[in-house]
Amino acid sequence: MTALGFLYPGHSAEDDYPRIEQLLGSDIRLDLVHTDIGEDAHRVDALLEMGSAGRLAAGVEELRMAGAESVVWACTSGSFVYGWEGAHDQVRALALTAGMPASSTSFAFVHAAKEIGAKRVAVGATYPDDVAALFAEFLRAAGIEVVGVRGSGIITAAEVGTWEEAEVFALARAADDVSADAVLLPDTALHTAAHIPSLEKELGKPVLTANQVTVWEALRLTDRRVNAPALGALFTREPIIQA
């Protein structure tokens, strides 16, 4: 059994995690602890507070007691808002506090894009334009070319959590660019786990979504690779450990 730990802010699309656990279909357990979201706002000051060391540290002991082997801060905006260096500091502090390998959803997107060979990406964000632009800056700092950014102007994670399939597909279509190797949907408050193969079929290219890459990153930290095509192209890469 491989136990993976996640710190998830508030309550929006956390039901993606048991769905992903089921789709993995192997000896993998996903343990999720909710962190205090503070003010639910896609605004820089609120996001910096949401991702502060104290808020993340508060959930770590529960994950340790559950036997987690890695921990990922399951929040994109609450990590990239710190910038490239600040996001590194954030996960280093988390790793020291947790006593296990740590990462965040922002780094998960970087590593996942490189895993599938995506050098040029298009971003479909639920965030306001200024916050979406910070994610693009983060990706560029990692050496990934961003060919387009589509913001949606949504302020709260609670509202994003109400989006259904039609809204998710509309966002992905609007964000797509013919020159993009992949489309990225970077909000862990967005329900996407049930839609990834259909999105990839619709767009004809890999689609990376926040909760999907977050789980993949936790697996990567424990040196696990699982073949789970129901979770998209990212989960069909070698090396593979069959369920």
Side-chain angles (χ1 to χ4, degrees), residues 43-61:
R43 201 180 64 241
V44 171
D45 61 329
L47 294 170
L48 288 170
E49 176 57 30
M50 186 194 306
S52 63
R55 288 185 187 270
L56 300 191
V60 163
E61 182 61 24

Side-chain angles (χ1 to χ4, degrees), residues 1-6 29-33 59-70 100:
M1 173 66 68
T2 300
L4 308 175
F6 303 92
R29 189 180 78 238
L30 309 187
D31 294 318
L32 187 146
V33 170
V60 163
E61 182 61 24
E62 187 176 341
L63 291 176
R64 266 204 303 259
M65 294 295 289
E69 298 169 44
S70 65
M100 66 183 82

